[in-house]
Amino acid sequence: MKKKLLSVLLTGAMAASMFVGCGTSTATTDNAGADTAATTTDDAGGSTAAGGTKVGVSMPTKDLQRWNQDGANMQKELEAAGYEVDLQYASNDVQTQVSQIENMINSGSNVLVIAAIEGSSLGEAMDMAKEKNIPVIAYDRLIMNSDAVSYYATFDNYKVGQVQGQYIIDQLDLDNTDKTFTMEITAGDPGDNNAGFFYDGAMDLLKPYIEKGTIEVKSGQVDFADVATAAWATETAQSRMENILSSKYANDDLNICLCSNDSTALGVENALAANYKGEYPIVTGQDCDIENTKNMIAGKQSMSVFKDTRTLASQVVKMVGQILNGEKVDVNDEKTYDNGKGVVPSFLCEPVFADKDNYKELLIDSGYYTEDQLK
Ligand code: BGC
């Protein structure tokens, strides 16, 4: 019986990963734009293959393109592998996410996959999962201060920052210059454990140039706490940058905008469009969101880090199958991600550099976007 289940699961998982490899469309399946529950019921015999096994998938918000893609990919792949899926979005509201997870537990989810809004605020729901022996996979963002987290699947977050930092060093040839370049930093949400990794990855490379005077941050805002953006909000990044531009760059060029992700980069790009007359700076980002990729093509954003959500979804589906079958779970990092209760065994996917020269191959040829989506 178990063998049969395993083979069905593996076939499903293989089919799902082949599907992904063929570059299926990842258009978001946002229904009516609402950020509320979209409980997915099992159709076409899905529950029979994996024996009525239910996977609860908790995503932070529908406001950002990537989470819609993550949710849709997970749902498609988990269903293809024969699971019933309960997919919920929490409107970036911690209490909503906690109640949704509690509902998933009460309605019989066998495994939980959670992308936390705030890594440290899921305590109660995690205790409940632990009590009921429900394994939890932290998705993309680590869940902090809980020993209920079984595994973590994400991209190499430190490397994301390093790719951004190295891009700046290479573009301006910082090792062979006696010029001084101005830079402003826009980082992510302090409640998201990833944000610190992105910032550290980039700043570990760039700080030596600040110390040497090759880079100058005119606002004086360098520490993470001073450059963080609550909830990764575009508007917050925009208004902060508008202030900095009018107070520090009315008569001077701003050469570099290190932005941790695309939603903050978009805010910075809006501020530049509204308030800045100097030479256009290098702007970094992450996610290859559609708006940002369009800006990249138009020369308003220099690069983004591409994290193929299809890869992460496939990895998590594989982990779910391995957990449910009592197999060894595929991890490739057992030292980096300590959530305060111990190191969580992790699988880190590779982030890739994207710019206007390679976006076609990465994003269109691979089927991530259609050409029309980027027009
Ligand atoms: C993710 C990024 C995303 C950010 C904002 C982070 O946890 O890793 O890909 O841009 O959250 O949603």
Side-chain angles (χ1 to χ4, degrees):
M1 176 65 195
K2 186 146 186 226
K3 232 178 178 172
K4 187 166 170 227
L5 174 64
L6 175 63
S7 89
V8 172
L9 281 175
L10 287 176
T11 315
M14 270 164 61
S17 59
M18 277 162 61
F19 203 38
V20 164
C22 294
T24 53
S25 158
T26 55
T28 59
T29 56
D30 189 356
N31 33 0
D35 208 5
T36 48
T39 303
T40 308
T41 46
D42 184 26
D43 46 32
S47 69
T48 46
T53 306
K54 185 148 103 176
V55 183
V57 179
S58 170
M59 291 281 128
T61 174
K62 283 193 169 176
D63 285 351
L64 233 74
Q65 187 195 323
R66 73 150 294 183
W67 302 114
N68 290 279
Q69 287 173 194
D70 285 272
N73 287 338
M74 293 272 291
Q75 178 169 9
K76 187 165 58 190
E77 289 216 25
L78 285 165
E79 285 179 353
Y83 299 109
E84 193 181 325
V85 178
D86 184 359
L87 169 64
Q88 310 274 346
Y89 286 86
S91 303
N92 252 344
D93 180 68
V94 172
Q95 204 39 56
T96 304
Q97 185 165 47
V98 169
S99 334
Q100 288 177 340
I101 295 170
E102 287 175 355
N103 281 336
M104 288 172 189
I105 296 171
N106 287 330
S107 65
S109 289
N110 302 85
V111 177
L112 294 171
V113 177
I114 301 170
I117 294 168
E118 213 176 83
S120 303
S121 305
L122 295 179
E124 282 165 49
M126 290 301 93
D127 291 347
M128 201 167 152
K130 195 179 173 200
E131 224 164 82
K132 301 214 170 177
N133 285 322
I134 301 174
V136 174
I137 301 177
Y139 185 88
D140 194 87
R141 299 172 171 173
L142 187 56
I143 298 168
M144 307 302 290
N145 306 318
S146 166
D147 56 6
V149 188
S150 320
Y151 297 97
Y152 179 36
T154 189
F155 285 84
D156 186 334
N157 296 305
Y158 184 79
K159 190 160 178 191
V160 168
Q162 295 249 294
V163 170
Q164 296 168 334
Q166 192 58 50
Y167 178 81
I168 292 167
I169 294 169
D170 293 345
Q171 286 298 307
L172 299 174
D173 200 10
L174 292 185
D175 289 320
N176 300 300
T177 186
D178 42 24
K179 285 193 200 140
T180 298
F181 294 95
T182 51
M183 175 170 90
E184 294 299 332
I185 307 156
T186 307
D189 182 358
D192 177 352
N193 188 55
N194 289 353
F197 279 88
F198 302 144
Y199 172 88
D200 286 345
M203 292 305 283
D204 284 352
L205 290 178
L206 296 173
K207 263 198 180 133
Y209 297 96
I210 298 179
E211 278 152 19
K212 271 197 291 196
T214 310
I215 294 180
E216 183 193 2
V217 181
K218 278 182 180 283
S219 68
Q221 296 172 18
V222 174
D223 291 349
F224 179 77
D226 296 329
V227 299
T229 311
W232 295 94
T234 298
E235 302 69 29
T236 309
Q238 179 170 342
S239 58
R240 175 173 168 268
M241 191 51 65
E242 279 171 356
N243 286 336
I244 292 177
L245 287 174
S246 56
S247 60
K248 303 289 174 190
Y249 297 95
N251 303 309
D252 280 313
D253 279 354
L254 169 58
N255 305 122
I256 310 162
C257 294
L258 169 67
C259 302
S260 284
N261 86 328
D262 278 357
S263 62
T264 54
L266 203 57
V268 166
E269 287 151 26
N270 293 343
L272 288 166
N275 276 35
Y276 177 72
K277 304 272 174 289
E279 200 177 314
Y280 203 83
I282 290 178
V283 181
T284 67
Q286 161 183 201
D287 291 335
C288 289
D289 282 350
I290 289 180
E291 277 316 298
N292 298 76
T293 308
K294 285 182 182 170
N295 276 357
M296 215 154 72
I297 298 166
K300 295 182 198 154
Q301 178 167 326
S302 317
M303 60 85 76
S304 190
V305 179
F306 179 45
K307 304 196 302 187
D308 192 331
T309 51
R310 296 169 298 188
T311 315
L312 184 56
S314 298
Q315 186 58 37
V316 170
V317 172
K318 190 166 156 196
M319 283 169 136
V320 167
Q322 288 166 335
I323 291 173
L324 290 169
N325 287 301
E327 292 164 18
K328 192 168 178 308
V329 175
D330 206 6
V331 292
N332 61 11
D333 183 294
E334 296 191 71
K335 62 176 184 349
T336 309
Y337 288 98
D338 190 325
N339 78 345
K341 294 280 180 186
V343 172
V344 181
S346 307
F347 191 96
L348 310 186
C349 302
E350 277 291 296
V352 189
F353 161 87
D355 68 2
K356 66 173 180 359
D357 295 329
N358 71 356
Y359 83 91
K360 274 200 177 132
E361 190 187 333
L362 276 183
L363 303 175
I364 297 177
D365 297 352
S366 79
Y368 201 73
Y369 294 138
T370 62
E371 217 152 355
D372 280 349
Q373 283 176 293
L374 301 179
K375 277 185 183 146

